[in-house]
Amino acid sequence: MKILLAPLIVTLALAVLCCGEKGIKIKKEVANTFVKRQKRSSLYEWYSEYYKSPMEQMHERCENYPPCDYLSDQIGFSMAYNRFFGRY
């Protein structure tokens, strides 16, 4: 355990010295090379990313309305949604 403690302390000390006064500045192009978004491989994945199912839309509607969200934790989503928004 002591073997790992010394390098950890040195690393933290260097991090404090480097980042203490200034923030880390990275160019946008350099940052994009680290964080590249994976391309969607199929039409279904692309479609499901942009369009939500009706059930997911109902869940979000209930979550955005605090009384419905609270009641759904108590008695379940379907009964809470029916109480506040009618049948689905």
Side-chain angles (χ1 to χ4, degrees):
M1 188 70 175
K2 291 182 180 179
I3 296 171
L4 295 176
L5 190 58
L8 179 64
I9 291 173
V10 171
T11 306
L12 289 174
L14 289 175
V16 168
L17 290 175
C18 292
C19 302
E21 295 179 12
K22 301 176 193 174
I24 297 174
K25 305 286 187 201
I26 299 175
K27 291 183 182 178
K28 187 176 180 180
E29 295 80 19
V30 175
N32 285 338
T33 60
F34 288 110
V35 184
K36 285 211 172 197
R37 192 170 154 215
Q38 184 180 5
K39 300 286 183 186
R40 300 292 175 215
S41 60
S42 70
L43 182 61
Y44 176 75
E45 289 178 0
W46 177 83
Y47 181 82
S48 64
E49 182 180 339
Y50 290 104
Y51 300 102
K52 297 177 183 171
S53 68
M55 185 59 80
E56 188 174 353
Q57 290 174 357
M58 288 189 291
H59 274 280
E60 287 184 357
R61 185 176 181 195
C62 187
E63 288 174 357
N64 290 335
Y65 187 59
C68 183
D69 188 34
Y70 176 77
L71 192 61
S72 69
D73 290 338
Q74 306 299 318
I75 63 173
F77 165 73
S78 61
M79 292 174 67
Y81 189 86
N82 286 341
R83 171 138 188 235
F84 290 102
F85 302 110
R87 296 195 70 187
Y88 59 88

